[in-house]
Amino acid sequence: MLRFIYVILLNLFRAPYMIPKMRREADHPEKYSAEERYELARHCIRLMKVTGGIHTKAYGQENLPKEGGYMMYPNHQGKYDALGIVYTHRRPCSIVMDKAKSIPFL
């Protein structure tokens, strides 16, 4: 939990720039493709990873189907699980999250 707070505090100076940029891209899907919006989300996650000294390794990506959909389940309910899944996927994906357990920053 301390690392989570540490990452948030050290990235507060980026918020005035990144939040409006993300909002602008989300509000205008006709101007920005899903891939461009997804890359911005991955960029934000990368900035948080670098700030917090977090290293992510993905194994078994070659076993994922190239076409069609699939569902992934994290092995525990950590705050980083959703971010790790988004960061390691090259193609856009979405996250289903329980509203009671979600936090505003995620």
Side-chain angles (χ1 to χ4, degrees), residues 46-64:
R46 186 186 65 77
L47 292 174
M48 288 186 282
K49 283 173 34 71
V50 168
T51 303
I54 301 166
H55 304 284
T56 305
K57 294 181 182 178
Y59 300 101
Q61 288 185 321
E62 64 279 356
N63 298 326
L64 297 175

Side-chain angles (χ1 to χ4, degrees), residues 31-72:
K31 291 171 74 175
Y32 304 99
S33 68
E35 289 79 17
E36 290 173 321
R37 295 188 308 249
Y38 189 71
E39 282 304 314
L40 180 60
R42 290 183 71 224
H43 175 69
C44 291
I45 294 169
R46 186 186 65 77
L47 292 174
M48 288 186 282
K49 283 173 34 71
V50 168
T51 303
I54 301 166
H55 304 284
T56 305
K57 294 181 182 178
Y59 300 101
Q61 288 185 321
E62 64 279 356
N63 298 326
L64 297 175
K66 302 291 184 231
E67 296 178 10
Y70 54 90
M71 188 173 287
M72 297 184 64

Side-chain angles (χ1 to χ4, degrees), residues 88-99:
T88 56
H89 277 72
R90 303 286 182 241
R91 294 184 296 158
C93 67
S94 62
I95 303 296
V96 177
M97 186 179 298
D98 182 13
K99 188 174 184 175

